[in-house]
Structure formats: structure tokens, C-alpha cells
Amino acid sequence: METECRADAQLSDYAARVLEQVAVAPGCRLLTVSSPGLARAASPGQFALLGCGTGYDPFLRRPLSFHRVDLKRGEVSFLYRVKGVGTQWLAERRRGDVIPVLGPLGRGFRHSDRGKRGLLVGAGLGAAPLLFLAERLAGQAWSLTVLLGATTKTGILRADAFGRFGTVKTVTEDGSTPKKGTILDLLQEELNGGGWDTIYACGPRVVLKAVQEISARTGIPAQISVEERMACGLGACLGCACRSASSPGYLRVCREGPVFDAGEVILDD
Amino acid sequence: MIDLSVEVAGIRMQNPILVASGTFGCGEEYSPLLDVGRLGALVTKGITLKPWQGNKPPRICETPAGLLNAVGLQNPGVDAFIHEILPVMKGYGVPVIANIAGFTKEEFVEIAKRLTGAGVDGLEINISCPNVKSGGMALGTVPELAAEVVEAVVESTSLPVIVKLTPNVTDIVALARAVTDAGASALSLINTLLGMAIDIKSRRPVLGNVLGGLSGPAIRPVAVRAVWQVSQAVDVPVIGMGGICRGEDALEFILAGATAVAVGSAHFRDPLAAMKIISYLESYCEENGINDWQKLIGAAWKNK
Ligand SMILES: Cc1cc2nc3c(=O)[nH]c(=O)nc-3n(C[C@H](O)[C@H](O)[C@H](O)COP(=O)(O)OP(=O)(O)OC[C@H]3O[C@@H](n4cnc5c(N)ncnc54)[C@H](O)[C@@H]3O)c2cc1C
Ligand SMILES: Cc1cc2nc3c(=O)[nH]c(=O)nc-3n(C[C@H](O)[C@H](O)[C@H](O)COP(=O)(O)O)c2cc1C
Ligand code: FES
């Protein structure tokens, strides 16, 4: 079920009905909603603002990236970690419940539609926006390697799903997967092999900063998905500032991002 | 359909629902979702003389029933506003009120001069911004200083001058009287309440700017009180704002003495908030057989 404010508008506040909600790892959930209009409009790397709770507390909506879109069935999935009040409320939604979902928002991943070699880097929950991207790229004959890293084995998310679109390599800091180390170790090994056209990365700032540095050093174009606290999600409130690398001042993560070219922004601590 | 039109500071509006400065961009951001042309008026983000970067992030922190913001007046400056933003805002066919922020009296005057004849319908002097180090709220907390700024701006422009007041003062009525005597044609209240939040994990302030302005339903009773007190003390119209989310809230402000109201943070929760409030007022008047809705203004203190 969905409502559209204006028939011609793609961006809308959709009343999305929950189809399914499953735990994929401790504290991590996969939420699938029915919203054909949103499914049609969404692209990889874009996100939505989900209304949480019915009163004024929590007050702000929560930004979540599109994890998967099933166009035929009109379904949209989110992969998220239960962190605080907002995501806790989302975790309690059951089949049939309705969630207000404002989207699609922001600028997603850019890519050539002629197959190339892509390296996807997903650190922890950073896997969330990459599955949608992997499916899109694989559909355009890209050859993909997906690197998934986490502190421990249960933090490696959706490896099977990624396996349908490319080669998956995993790493954990505690060695609970065959390979022990950080995702940056794994990334360095892959780069030594050479031949990559683009790196797409999502995860904690330390990982994104390392990817920025690698991209600058090797000249391999990279795109990073950045997070910042948001209020409007539409570019109106200027709340989600990220420092611009090319001019003094800030860019809006919700509008010029959340996916930036690696050289476009300066990630402060 | 019931006529909800109203005149504030000589600016004719089709209904008394405005958007609060800094929360609605230039309208374009919301235009895919709603008909911006249905609003009573658009109010710009604070405009400074020179381009201004704003504060370092994080700029937003959710708090109980509201949020703290420390955007810090990020804007491209008055000249870029006139050439790049104003044409977009005027395209919606509703009055545009320019929220202006100087760091000195002279800057306020200069911004006002440049905007005079540029196509805006009125000025809202922001002497109440908590997110900048000088000017802003400092000028707005001392009645004599505030009056000096207002007098200078009024003398320098033919545009209606609305003055936006801060609630971060001991006596908002004294401030309201001072700026009205200095020539303000209307008052906007309230701006955000100064606040802060600390992250107990990092043991550091959440906001990049440390301090921020609190808005949303959490501040509504403070705003209603301010409108109630000020509207009884001055003869100019009051534009009420602070936590208005629903039609009922807008009505509460009108009953407290507001001639018009502005919707701000509510848009972050429901982008259609202002539209729903307009519809509510229309049906409220119809259902209650109210022909002259302006009789409701200040009814809470007029009908003792
Ligand atoms: C563009 C974008 C896409 C995102 N995609 C995903 C995703 O696919 N899966 C996922 O698990 N998480 C994602 N996040 C992070 C997610 O938004 C936060 O984890 C979530 O808002 C936390 O809300 P809460 O109420 O559970 O936590 P609380 O800590 O109670 O939240 C308090 C406030 O801080 C904000 N906040 C807290 N952490 C973050 C954060 N990392 N980024 C932005 N705001 C934050 C909340 O939105 C809320 O306003 C994304 C963030 C952004 C900006
Ligand atoms: C993100 C944000 C930015 C704001 N920017 C401005 C501004 O530039 N100038 C101004 O006078 N008020 C500014 N305000 C204050 C609002 O206009 C309004 O007075 C206040 O938020 C109370 O209304 P609300 O609770 O409905 O948001 C801002 C508020 C928010 C939340
Ligand atoms: S969240 Fe409002 S501008 Fe990005």
C-alpha cells in the first residue's frame, strides 16, 4: 500500500506496509516493506527517512539506505542495526504495520552502464547500501569483488546475498572467519592485484578516510557513502554538513551526498 | 471556502500559516512533496552580508520532543541570495520575507538597503540567533541595543520590518516594547531556546558548536506564554512559532494572541505539517461556523 502526494512525484512520503522483518545477526535486522512507487524511484546509494514512533519522542526521522529493491514485487528492504530508540521502534514493527517512509533522498552511486571491474568495500553495517549497488552493477555486466569486514563473524552481513553478484571475501578482526585482520588489510591485498576501475565504500569514518587516501594515492576513482545527523533530509535545514574539499564551506550529506566522490569531501573527526 | 487571509505588517497573506526561518530552505526542497503556493508566506534562512559557512558538524541533536540545532547561519550572503535564491522563492506566488542577520548594526542596515527594491515583501530582523558568537542574540537581549538596530533598519528601508525575538531573556515584554517603540511593524516569537547536550560515551558535547538552539514541541508552552504576554503589551501583530505541529497547536497560538503562525521543526517529522494545519483551520472555521476567524486572535485573554 502506498500514498502519493502528487501523481507525478517520485519523491514522496510513502505509507509503506511491513511485509517481513527478520534478524540477520545479533542486533541487526532486515526490514522489507511494500511500496511499489518507492521501489520504482529508488536508486543504489540513495536513502529514505523513516518515521519512528507515533508521538513526538523520538521526534526526528531516521535515515536508512536502500538495501535491496524488488521492482517486480514493489518491495524495498532496509538492513539496519538496532542502536537507540528509533531503530528499536522499527525493530518492533510487525507484518501489516505501516511506516512513513520519505524518499528516495540524496545522490546515490554513479557508475558506467558498461561492465567494468568494481571493488565493493563494506565495513560492518556498511554492507547495507552495497547489495542494491551490487545487483545493479552485476545486471550491467560488471565484474565485482565484495569485501566484507567486521570485528567478529556475526558482524559479516549478507555474504550469501552478495555471492550472487560477485566474488565475496571476508575478514574479521578476531579471526572468527578464516581470514584475520581489518578490512583495510584485505583492501590493500586486492589493490596489489591491480586492475580496478572503481572502489565503492561504506562504513565507519576511519575506513572511508583510508579509502580516500588510497584513491588519492593510486588514482583509482572511489565513491564513499557518508553519514551525518539529519533533520529534514531534503536539503532545507543545512543540518547535515560535511566539509567540502573544493571550496570553503560545507556540502549537504542529504542532497549533494550521501555518496560523494572520494576527493569531494573532507571527513573531520 | 472560508477566507483565512490576513495582513501582517502590511503584507497580505492568503492564510496565516508561514514557515519558520531556516527550516524550509527556499521552498524548492519541499516542492516535490507539496504545493508551496498554498502557504501564507515563505521566510528565508538567515541572510548575512557576506557568505557565511556556518558551524562545524554535528549541527543537529535530537532531544525529548524536539531538537537542538547549531547550523550557525550558513548562507551565501545577501548578493547571492538576491540573484540566485530569491527568483526561485518568488516563483511560488506567495510573499517572501527575508530573515536578516547582521553582526553589527551597520551590517543590518547594509543588508536591509540591498534587499530594498530587490523583490522581497518584508524583512524579519533576526536579533535572536543563539548560534553565532557576536551580533545575533547579543544584540537581541538588551532592549536599548535591540531598539537601536531596529530604528536604524526602519530608517534605511521602505520594507515592512518584523523583529524576531529571543526567549533567552528575563523580560521578553520589555524587549518587545523597546523594538515596537523603535518602529517594528510586527514581532516574530520565539526563536530557539539556548541549550546543549553531552554524549555520555565520548564525555564531550554533542554539537560541534557546543551550544545550540532548542526547537520543536518541547518549547511550545514557552512560546505560547511569550505570545500571550507580548500580544497584550504591544499594538503590532505577533507571528507566533515554537513547536507548532498540528492545527490544534496553531489555534492555541492564535487564541494566545498571534495574528499568524510559523511552522518550523514539525516539517522534519511530517513534511506536510503546514499543509495539514491550513486544512485544519479551514475545516475548523467551517465546522464551528466562524465567518471572521480573526475574532479568534487573542480570544484567550480578550474573553476573560
Ligand atoms: C544517509 C544515511 C544512511 C544510513 N543508512 C543506514 C543503514 O542502511 N543501516 C543502518 O543500520 N544505519 C544507517 N544509518 C545510520 C542510522 O541512521 C542510525 O543508526 C540511526 O539513525 C540511529 O537511530 P536510533 O534512534 O536507533 O539511535 P539514537 O542514537 O538514539 O539516535 C539519536 C539521534 O542521532 C541520530 N543518529 C545516530 N547515529 C547516527 C548515524 N550513524 N548517522 C546519522 N544519524 C545518526 C539519529 O538519527 C537520531 O536523530 C544511515 C545514516 C545516514 C545518514
Ligand atoms: C535547523 C534550524 C535552523 C534555523 N535557522 C534560523 C535562522 O536562520 N534564522 C532565524 O531567525 N531562526 C532560525 N531558526 C529558528 C526557527 O525559525 C524557529 O524560530 C524555531 O525553530 C521555533 O519554531 P519550531 O519549534 O516550530 O521550529 C532555525 C531553527 C531550526 C530548527
Ligand atoms: S538534513 Fe536538512 S539539509 Fe540535510
Side-chain angles (χ1 to χ4, degrees), chain A residues 27-29 45-49 52 58-67 77-90 105 125-129 202 225-231 240 253-254 257-259, chain B residues 60-63 201:
Chain A
C28 281
R29 301 178 77 84
Q46 288 188 298
F47 68 100
L49 283 186
C52 301
F59 186 69
L60 298 175
R61 292 180 176 222
R62 275 22 182 185
L64 292 180
S65 299
F66 299 120
H67 176 58
S77 303
F78 301 95
L79 178 71
Y80 67 98
R81 185 170 48 144
V82 181
K83 188 177 180 217
V85 281
T87 48
Q88 179 59 47
W89 184 86
L90 285 178
L105 300 169
L125 246 303
C202 184
S225 180
V226 173
E227 292 183 3
E228 190 46 78
R229 277 154 204 266
M230 293 185 174
C240 59
V253 173
C254 72
V259 178
Chain B
I60 298 280
C61 173
E62 185 183 70
T63 54
K201 280 203 201 101

Side-chain angles (χ1 to χ4, degrees), chain A residues 5-6 9 11-13 52-53 55-62 102 228-229 231-232 234-239 241 243 248-250 255, chain B residues 22 24-25 28-34 53-60 62 64-67 71 74 217 245-246 265 268-269 271-272:
Chain A
C5 310
R6 265 173 28 187
L11 166 60
S12 189
D13 192 12
C52 301
Y56 296 141
D57 203 8
F59 186 69
L60 298 175
R61 292 180 176 222
R62 275 22 182 185
L102 177 68
E228 190 46 78
R229 277 154 204 266
C232 72
L234 295 163
C237 75
L238 310 179
R243 192 172 283 283
Y250 295 92
R255 189 85 175 216
Chain B
F24 207 74
E28 176 268 331
E29 296 86 350
Y30 281 87
S31 63
L33 296 164
L34 50 88
Q53 286 185 21
N55 293 326
K56 67 173 194 228
R59 292 176 170 184
I60 298 280
E62 185 183 70
L67 67 146
V71 171
Q74 178 182 329
C245 292
R246 306 172 307 154
S265 304
F268 307 153
R269 187 160 181 84
L272 300 184

Side-chain angles (χ1 to χ4, degrees), chain A:
Chain A
M1 193 210 94
E2 65 184 71
T3 51
E4 293 200 27
C5 310
R6 265 173 28 187
D8 62 338
Q10 292 199 310
L11 166 60
S12 189
D13 192 12
Y14 294 92
R17 195 166 288 278
V18 176
L19 293 171
E20 189 182 49
Q21 164 123 260
V22 290
V24 291
C28 281
R29 301 178 77 84
L30 181 62
L31 168 69
T32 302
V33 299
S34 168
S35 185
L38 184 61
R40 273 195 302 277
S43 336
Q46 288 188 298
F47 68 100
L49 283 186
L50 285 75
C52 301
T54 47
Y56 296 141
D57 203 8
F59 186 69
L60 298 175
R61 292 180 176 222
R62 275 22 182 185
L64 292 180
S65 299
F66 299 120
H67 176 58
R68 239 208 112 214
V69 162
D70 187 328
L71 254 184
K72 258 199 248 116
R73 298 167 143 197
E75 296 174 8
V76 177
S77 303
F78 301 95
L79 178 71
Y80 67 98
R81 185 170 48 144
V82 181
K83 188 177 180 217
V85 281
T87 48
Q88 179 59 47
W89 184 86
L90 285 178
E92 287 156 13
R93 293 313 96 201
R94 295 288 170 265
R95 186 181 169 85
D97 288 348
V98 171
I99 302 173
V101 181
L102 177 68
L105 300 169
R107 188 175 63 141
F109 294 106
R110 281 80 60 191
H111 57 85
S112 143
D113 54 12
R114 276 179 307 140
K116 301 202 168 197
R117 288 192 71 206
L119 192 53
L120 274 52
V121 180
L125 246 303
L130 298 180
L131 187 67
F132 190 9
L133 176 68
E135 182 164 8
R136 177 67 56 89
L137 293 179
Q140 293 173 345
W142 278 60
S143 148
L144 301 176
T145 294
V146 183
L147 310 183
L148 299 175
T151 43
T152 187
K153 196 173 164 184
T154 53
I156 301 287
L157 301 171
R158 308 281 283 154
D160 291 349
F162 279 106
R164 306 201 335 257
F165 309 118
T167 308
V168 178
K169 298 188 179 175
T170 62
V171 64
T172 50
E173 286 166 32
D174 68 356
S176 50
T177 49
K179 192 163 176 57
K180 180 174 175 170
T182 70
I183 191 147
L184 295 175
D185 301 333
L186 194 55
L187 175 57
Q188 196 51 58
E189 277 173 33
E190 289 303 316
L191 291 171
N192 295 341
W196 299 105
D197 293 304
T198 313
I199 302 170
Y200 296 99
C202 184
R205 284 216 163 180
V206 277
V207 174
L208 301 186
K209 282 171 108 162
V211 169
Q212 286 183 307
E213 190 263 315
I214 287 167
S215 172
R217 182 159 44 80
T218 61
I220 303 172
Q223 291 173 27
I224 54 176
S225 180
V226 173
E227 292 183 3
E228 190 46 78
R229 277 154 204 266
M230 293 185 174
C232 72
L234 295 163
C237 75
L238 310 179
C240 59
C242 185
R243 192 172 283 283
S244 164
S246 58
S247 57
Y250 295 92
L251 299 172
R252 296 165 296 182
V253 173
C254 72
R255 189 85 175 216
E256 286 81 44
V259 178
F260 292 101
D261 291 328
E264 227 179 326
V265 287
I266 297 169
L267 299 177
D268 299 317
D269 295 311

Side-chain angles (χ1 to χ4, degrees), chain B residues 141-194:
Chain B
T141 48
V142 182
E144 295 74 35
L145 293 181
E148 253 180 59
V149 171
V150 172
E151 201 171 340
V153 172
V154 169
E155 270 169 23
S156 67
T157 182
S158 51
L159 291 167
V161 174
I162 302 163
V163 179
K164 184 159 175 181
L165 302 182
T166 174
N168 303 310
V169 291
T170 327
D171 186 357
I172 197 166
V173 172
L175 197 58
R177 285 209 175 100
V179 298
T180 312
D181 290 346
S185 342
L187 302 177
S188 281
L189 42 137
I190 57 175
N191 208 317
T192 53
L193 286 150
L194 194 57

